[in-house]
Amino acid sequence: MTTHRFPPGFLWGAATSAYQIEGSLDTDGRGPSVWDTFAARPGAIEGGGDGSRACDSYRRWDRDVELVARLGLGAYRFSVSWSRILPQGRGRIEPRGLDHYERFVDALLARDVTPVLTLNHWDMPQALMADGGWVGRSSVDAFAEFAAAVADRLGDRVRWWITQNEPWIIALLGYQLGLHAPGVRDLRSSVAAGHHVLLGHGAGADVIHARAPQARVGCALSLFPCDPASDDPADLAAAQGSDGYVNRWYLGPLLGDGYPADMWAHYERALGGGLDDIIRPGDAALIGGRSDFLGVNYYTRRVMAAAPTGPGRPFPWRVVGPSGDVTRTDEGWEVAPDSLRDLLVRLHREHPGVPLMITENGAVYGDTPTHDGLVHDQRRIDFLLGHLRAVGQAVDAGAEVVGYLHWSLLDNFEWALGYRPRFGLVHVDYPTGRLTVKDSGRVYARIAATGQLPDTRPTVPPFG
Ligand code: FCB
């Protein structure tokens, strides 16, 4: 058995988010969120689904806690639905929403499961769109209000806090391409949105730290290593540019280096003007220096080539691969565990002293229950083991990794792709609500219990 030195207290867990699993959208005074509105747009969601039922986790929260405990997971990442706490976006706090998450957190703690609480996993209250959503700078104060309400109630017992989930994806899919809520398509708006999400992290972190001195606060970034398609200098520059766009634009300000100059110049070129009206002097100081850890969401890498700019192509690069014979998930994404190892080692080298938590990592495989009622998702087992080995190698190389949270505990509502992609360690039969722990869930339970990775393909342990 290869033994990696996962540190003591390493968090082995799984992740979900509120809109993707909860359902019960009209319960306990919840207000509408931008995802309620977006999902109702004809054609916005593949298959036409929405979050109205999902995994029914709002009603059946104790079932989820039981499941996490039975799997022997030490940590569970979930998000607090913003519009359950501030149904109108500002002002009145809905106590029933807070009661729910308090019950939930207490039940996790009673089962020795460490809660990892995300505040904004994309479901901003619809009322805040009156001021442009994340495009308006007032969103920063609105988010701080949300953080304060939750920290006032749960700051005494939740240690791990994630302020924002994936600022780049919010900016890109929500405000640049319009493929996610709120469906805006405008590059300048996306720069503003991304910046305000980061300012929100800063303001939220301050609010949480003030109320809960023992809290560890971080932001979860979607990080995609960017490799050049060839060693042509133009492709190398494309990979570097894409790294600026996807990764460094967020890592820099969060971890105290400010916005990277090369990407700033790309934005100015693409927008035909400066960014100073969006990113004001002094803003960097409101974002950096407040992260106790960095959340790393990792799915795959990007292979980049130089490309001309033009309508719909603001930057001189494009994703070209990987091409050819690589292992892929059912969504077509390359399975690239070595890139996770290299990413963690790079983050450790470039930002020493910042603990890293894998806050998401997972894959789409469409396996469903078969003749014996079980889900034999061998490819997810292979994916999981490959990525856990990569984490172990990074740890052995000195990276400070404090936990691994698999995306996802449950199959769930995968945003614009609806219910088709299945990411869960546990299968959900949506019409009946029946749950089946997949083989991958059983294997992961064994790893979580022992802290050891098997050398060879493991036999699937029983689950009961
Ligand atoms: C991430 C999201 C998460 C889920 C996974 C597959 O970008 O944070 O909610 O959709 O992708």
Side-chain angles (χ1 to χ4, degrees):
M1 183 165 303
T2 323
T3 314
H4 300 290
R5 291 181 314 247
F6 291 105
F10 190 85
L11 298 173
W12 299 96
T16 58
S17 87
Y19 189 80
Q20 293 179 276
I21 65 166
E22 283 185 348
S24 301
L25 301 184
D26 297 321
T27 308
D28 288 347
R30 179 188 181 277
S33 82
V34 291
W35 267 95
D36 301 40
T37 312
F38 186 73
R41 278 193 192 179
I45 310 295
E46 196 181 311
D50 61 25
S52 54
R53 184 149 119 167
C55 308
D56 206 12
S57 289
Y58 189 78
R59 281 195 321 125
R60 310 204 55 196
W61 58 273
D62 50 344
R63 172 207 66 185
D64 288 2
V65 173
E66 188 60 26
L67 182 64
V68 170
R70 278 172 65 215
L71 283 167
L73 302 182
Y76 182 55
R77 176 182 176 212
F78 65 98
S79 80
V80 174
S81 158
W82 190 345
S83 54
R84 291 192 193 279
I85 309 303
L86 285 133
Q88 286 108 35
R90 303 296 292 260
R92 193 181 66 77
I93 292 169
E94 172 52 76
R96 288 173 292 176
L98 288 169
D99 293 345
H100 169 81
Y101 293 105
E102 182 173 33
R103 272 193 300 272
F104 185 70
V105 163
D106 285 346
L108 289 173
L109 292 170
R111 306 299 302 258
D112 277 333
V113 178
T114 299
V116 179
L117 185 155
T118 308
L119 286 170
N120 173 34
H121 204 122
W122 303 355
D123 49 355
M124 174 182 253
Q126 175 65 32
L128 297 177
M129 288 309 292
D131 218 1
W134 285 111
V135 177
R137 199 165 165 119
S138 61
S139 58
V140 179
D141 291 340
F143 180 73
E145 234 177 279
F146 172 40
V150 180
D152 278 339
R153 183 68 81 93
L154 296 174
D156 59 347
R157 59 203 102 164
V158 172
R159 179 167 153 80
W160 297 96
W161 295 74
I162 296 169
T163 51
Q164 309 278 20
N165 183 66
E166 301 191 341
W168 178 56
I169 297 291
I170 295 174
L172 172 74
L173 299 184
Y175 291 86
Q176 184 184 332
L177 301 179
L179 297 172
H180 278 186
V184 175
R185 288 166 157 234
D186 177 55
L187 185 63
R188 192 169 194 85
S189 298
S190 83
V191 176
H195 181 57
H196 297 144
V197 168
L198 290 178
L199 282 173
H201 162 78
D206 287 350
V207 157
I208 299 163
H209 282 138
R211 287 163 171 76
Q214 88 298 348
R216 312 209 65 194
V217 186
C219 180
L221 296 185
S222 52
L223 296 172
F224 289 83
C226 299
D227 295 324
S230 76
D231 49 19
D232 185 316
D235 288 348
L236 293 172
Q240 174 72 3
S242 165
D243 184 55
Y245 175 53
V246 175
N247 303 320
R248 289 181 288 114
W249 190 253
Y250 302 92
L251 286 168
L254 275 178
L255 301 181
D257 296 340
Y259 283 106
D262 60 336
M263 191 60 216
W264 187 290
H266 279 299
Y267 273 126
E268 287 193 332
R269 232 182 334 263
L271 294 169
L275 303 180
D276 295 329
D277 56 326
I278 300 173
I279 304 173
R280 301 182 189 159
D283 280 0
L286 302 174
I287 300 170
R290 288 160 171 77
S291 295
D292 303 307
F293 69 99
L294 176 71
V296 176
N297 292 1
Y298 173 77
Y299 288 92
T300 192
R301 68 186 180 120
R302 285 156 65 98
V303 177
M304 308 304 304
T309 58
R313 288 196 167 281
F315 308 116
W317 54 75
R318 69 193 166 99
V319 179
V320 292
S323 52
D325 192 18
V326 298
T327 310
R328 294 174 192 272
T329 71
D330 282 349
E331 205 56 29
W333 293 18
E334 183 192 13
V335 177
D338 289 351
S339 295
L340 173 59
R341 177 199 60 213
D342 296 349
L343 171 66
L344 295 171
V345 170
R346 164 191 169 183
L347 292 169
H348 173 64
R349 192 182 62 239
E350 293 180 357
H351 305 284
V354 179
L356 307 170
M357 186 190 289
I358 317 294
T359 36
E360 289 182 26
N361 171 239
V364 175
Y365 293 113
D367 310 276
T368 52
T370 179
H371 61 284
D372 54 6
L374 301 176
V375 184
H376 302 300
D377 57 339
Q378 184 61 48
R379 294 174 301 164
R380 180 173 282 99
I381 295 174
D382 293 342
F383 180 97
L384 182 62
L385 292 177
H387 286 76
L388 289 176
R389 280 191 201 108
V391 176
Q393 288 161 358
V395 167
D396 293 344
E400 190 187 341
V401 186
V402 297
Y404 174 90
L405 307 176
H406 192 78
W407 186 272
S408 174
L409 176 69
L410 301 165
D411 293 338
N412 60 47
F413 176 73
E414 180 48 28
W415 308 114
L417 302 179
Y419 289 95
R420 178 182 51 76
R422 291 184 178 270
F423 272 99
L425 296 165
V426 177
H427 178 271
V428 181
D429 181 56
Y430 295 111
T432 62
R434 188 188 157 83
L435 303 187
T436 307
V437 176
K438 301 180 189 177
D439 285 0
S440 58
R442 296 166 179 235
V443 166
Y444 189 46
R446 170 68 58 85
I447 294 170
T450 61
Q452 302 284 340
L453 308 183
D455 251 348
T456 50
R457 274 196 169 186
T459 50
V460 176
F463 181 76

